[in-house]
């Protein structure tokens, strides 16, 4: 074996000499045959095919497969260079299809397939619980909820880790702190147990400059459990996570680069977080983004540091009580399995103790009937918030780009069929010289695969641009958008495999078809004449490809129509207020050190200064924006009656001139104004939906409301002073809710923390951003201005998924339509040109020009009709998969279907009419001479 290998290697080193000796040997044998027979022709006949004999001789000294592959590659390169127009068109079509698939797959890899960048991620597990949530979900204490915090049972964390599945019930990933301590005691299956929860935006002051950073509270074993090494300094340890421990912080590598210049410079720095001194003790590695790809924190803080950072009493009581409360669900828990322990063993070891513990926390029969059951899942991929949000949209987009690639493959296969017709004599010569069909097919497939790899290389370049474009679309102007996709080796490997599959897909059928030739007619460059009518109506492989392009193109046009109509429905929703020329931004003075009651005065003074800016028509503030910031709920009832939790009443704290600024009409009474101060009677404005639901046809002005539930120690009595027109508050896709507007400075509910300012301007709102920053800087340099955007952009960000889908589907549909039309035009033009003589005969015999045009168009219409019939059935079945992504319409929307059919039919007729019209203008005499 080794000697054989060395012998073949030695042959390659002396290959030129071998070829010379082989030629001399063949000439010598031919000379002997010619001497014996006396004739050159007889010598060649007796000796046989010289080229074939040379191939047999080389096979004894070389690796035949590699030798033939090298020959095929050289020939394919020459063929591609000699046919530059075909190569460029085919490579561009493939590059667009492969590039689109690569870009979408890179996002799928980042969201659905990528693991956490930590050591031994396979042993990480996530702790969850599951409940049936009968009757809409059992209620816990007062039925309240807050960011990252939930009350048992059935409260949803706005971080997305807790959610309701209509089929499976309630799934939660947040636990009370006592449950976390229960899990830590079980060291038989876990080597470490750690917890965390989102801190949201924190006020960072570094060297006198205020900034907002995304924070996360973590337990002392968080970094040790994940197995994350520091990039500089050290990370948080157990001693840091104790009440009264020195405040320390760990920042991300990106934040250290942005604010300190490097990771080394960041370690040891003193900073202010929410006006509390902290020391940066370390920096995380560059690749580490936490355990939630949807929200990469800028800094990590010990869990118990929230005792000094989060001041005041929230809706769940004090912070110290939260660590002891068995019914307040607020932290997320992960663990690392011990070596040799399995997921099933962990489930069996903890399910029973957790059931006993949670049974002891139930306070009534309803809670006992639906106790949460512990569910331990694999945690190597981190939180699945992004997966739930983007999995279905990504699968839809992946299907669309796969259809584009399928259309491109069918188009190139058609081009190869046309090109094969021009190469009939070349292939016939190869076959007549002794080449086998399999050998010719392999050589043609080599050309196709090489062409596909060229398209794949160009596709990677397109994918780089496409990833940036998709990232911009998904971010939609959000500066804190942290998700990124890239071209890693997983994606590049998939691209190479896709290129190989594509080359085989579009090259196999034309290659097999090309070798099915009659040698004698092909060598004579003649064939049996075919009538024009039969040439257009005979079912051929080329027509199959054309029909498949049309059938694949229609679902894409239908999808584009559905998402464009969904976007149109969302953009035409009645808001109840004017979105034009409104600037929104947020301030959080409490994080900068302001306290009650001075914080209300601070916010009010700023509102007056903003309203005095030249060009600002009016200014106001509220605790939340009307759209895109969530909604606050609090029990509210007509004085003397019990609150109705199912009424869905919303509370919004607003400042003076809020209704004037947002242009919400006041139907009765007055709006909240400057007279409504902390010492004056408590007032409220209700919208017409609330007034009708609670007072019917009675005049609500002067009536009183009670703000607060039966367990509230200090319910507030409010007098209704106005009724406003209904306006959207919370979600854009939901109906108008009943809303109670209260003065922001008259009540501690909701807490006076972050406030959203709204400025209505006479010109472009963004022109006033610098002025706003200067005013805030002069008032207090510790307060950063955050989330600056117009009201229009704020609304668009709430429908970002629909906008992205509409744009991408429209782009993909246009691309698919263009490729299909080019393929149809090229095929019909080729068929017409190939039968120029027949057309000339028909016209010489008196056929009218219109008849020739109709003859060509009939074949186009038949192909389009068959393709539309197949595509319609496919579209009906596929559109049901996107039903949950639509708004205000059904998946079988007749308008979207009819527009897609009409668009595709018109494009097909136009693509076929151009060659048909050209055929009708052929000069019969020139055609006959041709």
């Amino acid at each position: 074996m080794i000697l054989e290998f060395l012998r073949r290697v030695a042959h390659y080193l002396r290959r030129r000499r071998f070829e010379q000796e082989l030629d001399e040997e063949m000439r010598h044998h031919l000379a002997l045959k010619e001497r014996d027979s006396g004739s050159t022709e007889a010598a060649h006949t007796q000796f046989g095919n010289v080229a074939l004999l040379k191939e047999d001789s080389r096979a004894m000294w070389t690796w035949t497969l590699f030798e033939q592959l090298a020959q095929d590659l050289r020939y394919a390169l020459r063929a591609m260079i000699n046919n530059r127009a075909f190569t460029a068109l085919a490579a561009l079509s493939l590059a667009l299809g492969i590039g689109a698939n690569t870009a979408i797959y890179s996002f799928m890899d980042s969201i659905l397939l990528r693991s956490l960048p930590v050591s031994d991620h396979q042993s990480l597990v996530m702790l969850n619980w599951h409940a049936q949530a009968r009757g809409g979900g059992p209620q816990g204490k007062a039925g309240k909820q807050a960011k990252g915090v939930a009350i048992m049972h059935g409260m949803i964390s706005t971080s997305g880790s807790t959610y309701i599945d209509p089929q499976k019930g309630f799934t939660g990933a947040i636990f009370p702190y006592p449950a976390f301590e229960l899990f830590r005691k079980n060291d038989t299956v876990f080597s470490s147990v750690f917890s965390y929860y989102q801190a949201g935006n924190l006020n960072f002051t570094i060297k006198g400059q205020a900034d907002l950073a995304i924070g996360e509270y973590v337990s002392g074993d968080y970094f040790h459990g994940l197995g994350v090494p520091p990039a500089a300094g050290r990370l948080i340890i157990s001693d840091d996570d104790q009440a009264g421990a020195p405040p320390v912080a760990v920042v991300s590598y990106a934040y250290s680069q942005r604010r300190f210049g490097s990771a080394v410079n960041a370690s040891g720095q003193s900073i202010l977080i929410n006006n509390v001194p902290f020391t940066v003790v370390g920096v995380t590695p560059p690749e580490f983004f936490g355990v939630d790809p949807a929200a990469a924190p800028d800094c990590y803080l010990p869990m118990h540091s929230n005792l000094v950072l989060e001041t005041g009493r929230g809706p769940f009581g004090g912070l110290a009580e939260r660590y002891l409360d068995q019914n307040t669900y607020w932290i997320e828990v992960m663990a690392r399995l011990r070596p040799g322990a399995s997921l099933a063993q962990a489930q069996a070891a903890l399910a029973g103790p957790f059931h006993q513990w949670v049974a002891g926390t139930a306070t009534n029969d309803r809670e006992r009937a639906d106790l949460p059951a512990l569910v331990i899942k694999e945690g190597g991929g981190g939180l699945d918030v992004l997966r739930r949000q983007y999995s279905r949209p990504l699968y839809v987009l992946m299907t669309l780009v796969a259809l584009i690639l399928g259309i491109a493959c069918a188009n190139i296969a058609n081009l190869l069929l046309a090109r094969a017709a021009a190469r009939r004599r070349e292939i016939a010569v190869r076959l007549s010289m002794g080449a086998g069909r399999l050998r010719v097919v392999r050589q043609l497939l080599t050309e196709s695969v090489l062409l596909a790899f060229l398209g794949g290389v160009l596709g990677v370049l397109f994918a780089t641009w496409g990833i940036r474009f998709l990232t911009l679309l998904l971010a939609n102007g959000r500066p804190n958008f942290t998700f990124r996709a890239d071209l890693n080796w997983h994606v590049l490997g998939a691209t190479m495999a896709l290129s190989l599959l594509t080359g085989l897909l579009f090259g196999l059928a034309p290659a097999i078809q090309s070798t099915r030739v009659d040698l004698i007619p092909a060598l004579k460059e003649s064939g049996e004449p075919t009538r024009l009518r039969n040439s257009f109506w005979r079912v051929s492989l080329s027509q199959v490809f054309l029909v498949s392009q049309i059938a694949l193109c229609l679902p894409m046009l239908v999808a584009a129509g559905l998402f464009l109509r969904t976007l149109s429905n969302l953009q035409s929703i009645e808001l109840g207020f004017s979105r034009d020329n409104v600037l929104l931004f947020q301030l959080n003075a409490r994080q900068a050190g302001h306290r009650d009651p001075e914080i209300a005065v601070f916010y009010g003074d700023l509102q007056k200064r903003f309203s005095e800016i030249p060009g600002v028509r009016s200014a106001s503030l509220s605790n939340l924006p009307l759209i895109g910031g969530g909604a606050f709920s609090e029990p509210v009832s007509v004085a003397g009656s019990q609150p109705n939790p199912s009424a869905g009443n919303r509370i919004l704290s607003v400042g003076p001139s809020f209704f004037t600024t947002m242009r919400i009409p006041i139907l009765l009474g007055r709006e909240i104004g400057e007279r409504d101060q902390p010492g004056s009677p408590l007032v409220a404005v209700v919208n017409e939906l609330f007034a009708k639901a609670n007072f019917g046809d009675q005049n609500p002005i002067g009536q009183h409301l009670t703000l607060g539930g039966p367990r509230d120690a200090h319910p507030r009595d409010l007098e209704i002073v106005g009724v406003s027109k209904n306006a959207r508050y919370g979600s854009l896709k939901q109906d108008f809710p009943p809303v109670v507007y209260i003065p922001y400075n008259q009540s501690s509910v909701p807490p006076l923390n972050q406030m959203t300012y709204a400025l209505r301007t006479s010109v472009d709102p963004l022109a006033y951003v610098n002025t706003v920053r200067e005013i805030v800087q002069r008032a207090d340099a510790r307060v950063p201005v955050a989330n600056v955007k117009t009201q229009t952009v704020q609304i668009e960000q709430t429908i970002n998924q629909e906008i992205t889908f509409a744009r991408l589907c429209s782009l993909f549909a246009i691309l698919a339509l263009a490729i299909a039309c080019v393929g149809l035009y090229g095929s019909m033009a080729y068929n017409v040109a190939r039968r120029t003589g027949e057309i000339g005969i028909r016209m010489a015999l008196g056929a009218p020009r219109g008849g020739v045009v109709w003859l060509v168009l009939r074949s186009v219409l038949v192909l389009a009709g068959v393709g539309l019939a197949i595509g319609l059935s496919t579209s009906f079945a596929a559109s049901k998969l996107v039903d949950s992504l639509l708004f205000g319409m059904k998946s079988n929307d007749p308008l979207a279907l009819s527009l897609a059919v009409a668009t595709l039919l018109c494009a097909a007729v136009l693509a076929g009419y151009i060659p048909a019209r050209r055929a009708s203008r052929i000069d019969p005499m020139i055609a006959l001479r041709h």
Side-chain angles (χ1 to χ4, degrees):
M1 182 68 70
I2 297 177
L3 292 177
E4 179 69 15
F5 176 80
L6 294 176
R7 183 174 66 85
R8 292 178 184 267
V9 171
H11 162 75
Y12 279 101
L13 297 178
R14 55 185 295 274
R15 181 170 181 173
R16 181 173 298 179
R17 183 177 176 183
F18 174 83
E19 292 294 333
Q20 293 175 353
E21 293 175 352
L22 186 61
D23 287 339
E24 292 177 359
E25 183 179 356
M26 293 300 169
R27 286 196 297 269
H28 173 71
H29 286 292
L30 277 174
L32 292 177
K33 291 292 183 182
E34 185 176 353
R35 186 188 63 183
D36 295 339
S37 62
S39 170
T40 302
E41 294 182 1
H44 278 279
T45 302
Q46 294 177 8
F47 187 68
N49 191 323
V50 175
L52 188 60
L53 291 173
K54 284 185 176 182
E55 289 290 328
D56 294 337
S57 299
R58 292 190 188 98
M60 299 178 60
W61 292 90
T62 65
W63 287 287
T64 306
L65 182 62
F66 293 106
E67 186 78 14
Q68 291 177 351
L69 179 60
Q71 294 175 357
D72 292 343
L73 288 174
R74 288 194 297 269
Y75 185 84
L77 285 173
R78 290 198 301 268
M80 291 170 61
I81 294 173
N82 294 332
N83 297 272
R84 295 183 181 88
F86 167 79
T87 302
L89 180 62
L92 181 60
S93 300
L94 286 173
L96 292 173
I98 294 176
N101 279 270
T102 302
I104 299 299
Y105 180 75
S106 66
F107 279 86
M108 294 188 68
D109 175 72
S110 298
I111 295 176
L112 306 180
L113 306 177
R114 187 172 297 180
S115 301
L116 292 177
V118 298
S119 61
D120 190 21
H121 61 84
Q122 296 90 346
S123 64
L124 289 175
V125 296
M126 297 196 67
L127 278 67
N128 294 261
W129 52 264
H130 177 76
Q132 294 299 324
R134 299 182 182 91
Q139 300 295 317
K141 293 181 180 179
K144 300 177 181 178
Q145 63 183 32
K147 184 173 183 178
V149 184
I151 296 296
M152 178 62 184
H153 306 157
M155 296 298 101
I156 302 175
S157 165
T158 57
S159 65
S161 60
T162 302
Y163 58 95
I164 295 178
D165 188 315
Q167 284 77 34
K168 299 180 180 180
F170 219 84
T171 298
I174 48 180
F175 292 86
Y177 196 82
F180 168 59
E181 293 180 328
L182 172 71
F183 299 141
R184 284 200 296 185
K185 293 178 182 178
N186 194 312
D187 55 359
T188 58
V189 291
F190 294 148
S191 61
S192 63
V193 181
F194 51 93
S195 62
Y196 51 91
Y197 83 96
Q198 296 177 12
N201 286 333
L202 300 174
N203 191 331
F204 270 46
T205 304
I206 303 173
K207 296 180 179 179
Q209 295 183 351
D211 186 21
L212 287 178
I214 301 174
E216 184 170 85
Y217 295 110
V218 300
S219 63
D221 286 337
Y222 178 83
F223 291 104
H224 172 72
L226 289 174
V228 177
R234 69 171 179 86
L235 302 179
I236 293 172
I237 59 177
S238 298
D239 292 341
D240 299 323
D241 186 22
Q242 304 290 336
V248 298
V250 170
V251 298
S252 68
Y253 186 86
Y255 192 80
S256 70
Q257 296 285 322
R258 187 167 66 250
R259 293 306 307 269
F260 300 100
S262 68
V264 176
N265 293 338
S267 182
Q269 292 284 343
S270 295
I271 60 176
L272 292 178
I273 303 179
N274 288 4
N275 210 38
V276 177
F278 274 74
T279 300
V280 177
V281 295
V283 180
T284 60
E287 68 278 3
F288 184 70
F289 53 78
V291 296
D292 185 0
D298 294 317
C299 70
Y300 302 85
L301 305 171
M303 182 77 68
H304 283 78
S305 63
N306 65 353
L307 295 173
V308 296
L309 289 178
E310 299 180 11
T311 59
R313 294 179 63 87
F316 309 100
L319 291 171
E321 291 87 342
R322 189 190 300 177
Y323 282 94
L324 303 175
D325 195 337
Q326 296 182 337
N327 286 313
T328 300
Y329 284 61
W330 58 293
I331 59 173
E332 297 172 80
V333 182
M334 290 184 68
R336 184 177 289 277
L337 295 172
R338 286 190 175 279
S342 65
L343 198 67
Q345 290 174 338
Q347 178 71 40
L350 287 176
F354 179 76
H355 177 78
Q356 295 176 2
W357 178 86
V358 78
T361 67
T363 59
N364 53 54
D365 292 338
R366 185 180 183 186
E367 292 181 358
R368 294 187 187 94
D370 191 20
L371 292 175
L374 184 69
V375 178
I376 300 180
K377 301 179 180 179
E378 294 181 355
L383 293 182
D384 57 355
V385 179
L386 275 180
R387 297 180 182 90
R388 289 197 306 273
Q389 181 180 357
Y390 287 108
S391 59
R392 182 181 290 270
L394 281 175
Y395 283 128
V396 172
L397 291 178
M398 198 68 192
T399 302
L400 294 180
V401 294
L403 292 178
I404 290 179
L405 188 58
I407 294 172
C409 288
N411 192 17
I412 296 174
N414 237 340
L415 293 175
L416 288 175
L417 284 176
R419 186 180 171 204
R423 299 175 64 183
R424 289 178 69 248
R425 190 171 186 276
E426 171 199 337
I427 295 175
V429 169
R430 288 174 175 271
L431 293 174
S432 64
M433 292 179 65
R437 287 188 61 192
L438 182 60
R439 178 70 181 87
V440 176
V441 168
R442 193 171 67 189
Q443 188 266 316
L444 294 176
L445 278 180
T446 303
E447 295 183 30
S448 301
V449 171
L450 187 61
L451 184 64
F453 272 109
L454 176 60
V457 172
L458 294 177
V460 171
L461 300 179
F462 279 105
T464 303
W465 173 84
I467 290 174
R468 295 175 183 174
F469 176 70
L470 281 173
T471 303
L472 290 175
L473 279 181
L474 292 174
N476 196 20
R478 290 175 290 178
N480 59 344
F481 185 75
T482 57
F483 176 72
R484 295 291 184 271
D486 54 11
L487 293 174
N488 53 40
W489 66 272
H490 292 282
V491 178
L492 293 178
T495 302
M496 291 189 61
L498 183 62
S499 300
L500 176 62
L501 178 63
T502 300
L504 296 175
L505 185 64
F506 71 73
L508 185 59
I512 295 175
Q513 184 77 5
S514 300
T515 57
R516 294 178 178 176
V517 295
D518 294 330
L519 296 183
I520 302 302
L523 291 173
K524 293 180 179 179
E525 294 187 339
S526 64
E528 295 182 2
T530 308
R531 292 184 301 169
L532 183 62
R533 183 179 300 273
N534 289 339
S535 68
F536 280 117
W537 286 94
R538 180 174 54 88
V539 177
S540 64
L541 189 59
S542 175
Q543 291 172 335
V544 172
F545 285 139
L546 289 176
V547 168
S548 64
Q549 289 183 67
I550 295 173
L552 293 175
C553 189
L554 184 61
M556 302 192 65
L557 291 173
V558 172
L562 291 175
F563 289 118
L564 283 174
R565 288 212 61 205
T566 292
L567 181 59
S568 176
N569 291 339
L570 288 170
Q571 291 177 337
S572 61
I573 287 178
E574 181 185 358
L575 298 175
F577 61 91
S578 175
R579 72 175 78 185
D580 301 325
N581 292 337
V582 176
L583 179 68
L584 300 179
F585 56 91
Q586 294 176 336
L587 303 177
N588 196 327
R590 189 174 297 277
Q591 289 184 340
H594 292 266
R595 298 293 179 260
D596 297 322
E598 178 270 338
I599 189 172
V601 178
F602 178 79
Y603 282 138
D605 290 342
L606 281 178
Q607 184 256 335
K608 293 177 182 177
R609 296 185 191 181
F610 294 145
S611 62
E612 295 171 356
I613 299 175
V616 174
R617 296 180 176 178
S618 60
S620 189
L621 68 158
S622 58
N623 67 311
L624 290 170
L626 286 173
I627 301 294
F632 185 84
S633 297
E634 180 77 7
V636 60
S637 59
V638 178
S641 64
Q642 293 295 325
N644 182 11
S646 63
N649 297 320
R650 308 286 177 85
I651 306 296
L652 184 64
S653 297
V654 301
S657 304
F658 178 80
F659 296 91
T660 300
T661 301
M662 301 309 298
R663 292 185 179 174
I664 302 175
I666 296 294
L667 305 179
L668 293 173
R670 65 175 179 87
E671 71 170 311
I672 294 171
E674 296 290 348
R675 73 179 78 172
D676 303 310
Q677 295 298 322
S680 59
L682 304 183
V683 299
V685 173
V686 299
N687 67 349
E688 54 183 330
L689 185 62
F690 182 93
K692 185 175 182 180
N694 291 276
F695 302 103
D697 296 332
Q698 297 180 7
N699 187 351
I701 302 299
Q703 300 288 339
H704 286 256
L705 302 175
T706 300
L707 182 64
R711 298 183 182 181
D712 200 320
H714 302 286
R716 275 75 64 196
D717 180 77
L718 310 175
E719 180 185 354
I720 299 177
V721 297
V723 178
S724 71
K725 186 177 177 60
N726 292 331
R728 300 281 172 183
Y729 174 36
S731 174
L732 186 67
K733 299 180 182 180
Q734 296 178 353
D735 295 332
F736 288 110
V739 183
V740 177
Y741 303 90
I742 61 176
Y744 76 97
N745 54 1
Q746 284 193 338
S747 176
S748 61
V749 178
L752 199 57
N753 295 322
Q754 181 173 271
M755 299 298 288
T756 299
Y757 283 83
L759 275 61
R760 182 167 296 279
T761 63
S762 55
V763 293
D764 181 12
L766 295 178
Y768 297 88
V769 174
N770 291 333
T771 305
V772 167
R773 294 187 186 277
E774 291 174 1
I775 292 176
V776 176
Q777 179 78 12
R778 288 195 298 267
D780 190 344
R782 301 172 300 172
V783 180
V785 180
N787 296 330
V788 181
K789 64 191 71 171
T790 64
Q791 180 69 73
T792 302
V793 171
Q794 174 86 356
I795 294 174
E796 288 179 351
Q797 288 180 352
T798 64
I799 55 174
N800 179 50
Q801 180 172 284
E802 288 78 8
I803 293 176
T804 302
F805 257 73
R807 291 175 178 175
L808 287 179
C809 289
S810 299
L811 177 64
F812 293 157
I814 292 173
L815 180 60
L817 186 63
I819 294 175
C821 288
V822 168
L824 184 60
Y825 167 79
S827 178
M828 301 312 300
Y830 174 74
N831 286 338
V832 169
R834 194 169 55 163
R835 282 148 178 102
T836 302
E838 298 180 26
I839 295 174
I841 293 175
R842 288 180 173 274
M843 298 186 68
L845 293 175
R849 295 182 184 274
V852 174
V853 172
W854 174 240
L855 185 63
V856 177
L857 282 181
R858 270 191 305 179
S859 62
V860 174
L861 291 174
V862 170
L863 293 176
V866 175
L868 289 174
I870 299 174
L872 273 176
S873 59
T874 305
S875 299
F876 274 115
S879 60
K880 297 179 181 178
L881 302 177
V882 300
D883 188 64
S884 61
L885 302 175
L886 305 178
F887 177 79
M889 58 187 300
K890 297 295 184 180
S891 58
N892 56 352
D893 181 64
L895 181 58
L897 290 172
S898 58
L899 285 177
V901 171
T903 301
L904 187 55
L905 189 60
C906 291
V909 171
L910 181 62
Y913 175 75
I914 297 175
R917 185 171 179 271
R918 186 179 301 165
S920 67
R921 294 178 175 272
I922 293 176
D923 188 334
M925 298 306 297
I926 297 177
L928 291 176
R929 283 198 299 268
H930 174 74

